[in-house]
Amino acid sequence: RSQQMKRSAWLAQAPHRLNSGLPVNIGVLFVPQQEAWVVERMGKFHRILEPGLNFLIPLLDRIRYVQSLKEIVINVPEQSAVTLDNVTLQIDGVLYLRVMDPYKASYGVEDPEYAVTQLAQTTMRSELGKLSLDRVFRERESLNASIVDAINQASDCWGIRCLRYEIKDIHVPPRVKESMQMQVEAERRKRATVLESEGTRESAINVAEGQKQAQILASEAEKAEQINKAAGREANAMLVKARAKAEAIQLLAAALAQQHGSAAASLSVAEQYVNAFSKLAKDSNTLLLPANTGDVTNMVAQALGIYSTLTKAQAVKTQEEMPTAREDPQPPPTEALKAEESSSS
């Protein structure tokens, strides 16, 4: 009885479209386009009248059902459903139907609209119970497709096909809505923090790259400057020093070639030897001294001997290289040593 009361209340609210206005059989009937009239003869199904002109036998034939072949839109009432994470939602929708077989729609079910609406509500509850709250908002299309498939499987024997199902509104409890708002704000703050950190990282990378390029350019500039200095000023300075040294050597060679030049050179070498020996104790605490440190005469004679030996070797080498050149008259080695010793003493 309670189910019959609910059904009658629903029928009072929703207009009945599948059985609207049964025409009277007067023998000649004109069936409108996109309508199917189900005719019974003596209480038994006889035939379905096609659009256009049709003839029936009065009193024997009766038009029992009028089915509309147009697409029908049905509002699914709002209902409560529990998601997978135990959140109660209030959800409603819109159902789009079409009668494919007027015979099955007339004799397969008593009230097709009511049956399809109840099936849509139950299917919606079962499908929502498989999804969490977040997935309900993200997977509306898949949810609609699942409801359509479930309705078509059940309504095939009713001659009705569900074309589309769309969810209109989803009402969330106030506390859950506040929690979702807080979650959205936290997600936005997280994204802002991530973007800020990425910006700081990119800025640091750019600064480091700039410093690296600046150092590379500075080193290349310094290298070019050193190359220019070496190729220009320093090269010229070295060339001038070399020329000055060559001229000094030439002047020294000319002075040595003159008379008594060897004695003067011997005196200069002896003075440099004595000065160098006097500076030994100024640079280091460790000294290597000869055994006869107090014999200055012997030290000078030793220095002069080294110099005369080098001079003799150089003279022999010159004679070998230039055999036809005229040799300058020089005193014998023994007499030169005696003269050097006497001059040094």
Side-chain angles (χ1 to χ4, degrees):
R1 182 178 299 178
S2 61
Q3 292 179 356
Q4 291 179 357
M5 292 177 63
K6 290 181 181 179
R7 178 176 175 276
S8 60
W10 182 84
L11 290 176
Q13 295 177 1
H16 192 66
R17 295 183 179 85
L18 299 184
N19 285 333
S20 59
L22 296 178
V24 180
N25 182 11
I26 57 175
V28 179
L29 300 174
F30 297 93
V31 179
Q33 186 67 33
Q34 291 298 98
E35 284 191 5
W37 291 4
V38 180
V39 178
E40 293 181 354
R41 176 168 291 182
M42 292 182 294
K44 185 180 179 181
F45 173 76
H46 177 57
R47 66 189 179 102
I48 298 175
L49 300 181
E50 300 291 337
L53 179 62
N54 293 274
F55 298 96
L56 295 177
I57 301 175
L59 300 177
L60 296 180
D61 297 334
R62 178 187 175 189
I63 301 173
R64 185 69 177 83
Y65 298 101
V66 175
Q67 304 289 351
S68 176
L69 303 180
K70 299 178 182 179
E71 187 172 348
I72 302 171
V73 181
I74 301 175
N75 289 323
V76 179
E78 185 178 2
Q79 62 177 341
S80 62
V82 181
T83 61
L84 184 62
D85 49 357
N86 297 325
V87 178
T88 303
L89 301 177
Q90 298 293 328
I91 187 169
D92 56 0
V94 179
L95 192 62
Y96 298 86
L97 303 175
R98 176 174 290 175
V99 176
M100 307 302 294
D101 189 348
Y103 176 79
K104 291 182 179 180
S106 300
Y107 298 100
V109 62
E110 182 178 358
D111 193 338
E113 288 188 6
Y114 180 75
V116 172
T117 304
Q118 295 298 318
L119 181 60
Q121 289 182 340
T122 55
T123 307
M124 187 189 302
R125 290 193 189 97
S126 62
E127 292 295 331
L128 286 176
K130 300 176 184 179
L131 302 175
S132 61
L133 181 61
D134 295 334
R135 293 182 61 189
V136 169
F137 293 99
R138 291 197 303 265
E139 300 181 5
R140 275 195 176 190
E141 294 183 1
S142 62
L143 184 61
N144 295 335
S146 300
I147 295 174
V148 170
D149 293 338
I151 292 175
N152 287 331
Q153 290 177 4
S155 63
D156 188 22
C157 60
W158 301 339
I160 299 174
R161 182 173 181 80
C162 179
L163 302 179
R164 294 185 303 278
Y165 181 84
E166 298 293 337
I167 297 175
K168 290 197 300 184
D169 296 323
I170 299 176
H171 301 283
V172 184
R175 293 184 179 180
V176 178
K177 191 174 182 179
E178 292 177 1
S179 301
M180 294 174 63
Q181 188 67 26
M182 293 174 61
Q183 182 180 359
V184 171
E185 293 178 358
E187 185 68 23
R188 290 178 179 176
R189 286 196 297 268
K190 176 184 176 182
R191 292 180 181 177
T193 304
V194 171
L195 292 177
E196 184 178 0
S197 63
E198 290 180 355
T200 303
R201 184 185 66 177
E202 293 294 335
S203 176
I205 292 174
N206 292 334
V207 171
E209 289 290 338
Q211 293 178 355
K212 177 182 177 181
Q213 294 295 332
Q215 290 179 359
I216 292 174
L217 293 177
S219 63
E220 291 180 355
E222 184 178 0
K223 178 182 178 181
E225 183 179 2
Q226 291 179 359
I227 292 173
N228 292 333
K229 287 182 179 180
R233 184 176 58 189
E234 294 182 359
N236 293 330
M238 292 175 65
L239 184 59
V240 170
K241 288 181 180 180
R243 289 177 180 176
K245 189 174 182 180
E247 292 178 359
I249 291 173
Q250 291 178 0
L251 292 175
L252 182 60
L256 290 174
Q258 294 179 3
Q259 189 177 3
H260 303 295
S262 178
S266 300
L267 179 60
S268 177
V269 170
E271 288 179 354
Q272 292 178 4
Y273 185 82
V274 172
N275 291 331
F277 187 79
S278 64
K279 295 179 181 179
L280 287 176
K282 293 182 179 180
D283 297 334
S284 176
N285 295 330
T286 303
L287 300 176
L288 297 176
L289 300 176
N292 52 354
T293 305
D295 192 358
V296 180
T297 305
N298 190 13
M299 293 170 59
V300 174
Q302 184 179 359
L304 292 175
I306 295 171
Y307 175 75
S308 61
T309 303
L310 295 175
T311 304
K312 183 178 179 180
Q314 184 66 26
V316 172
K317 184 177 181 180
T318 304
Q319 290 178 0
E320 292 177 355
E321 293 177 354
M322 301 176 62
T324 59
R326 182 178 179 182
E327 298 180 355
D328 295 335
Q330 294 182 357
T334 55
E335 295 178 358
L337 288 174
K338 291 180 180 180
E340 291 175 358
E341 291 179 357
S342 62
S343 64
S344 62
S345 59

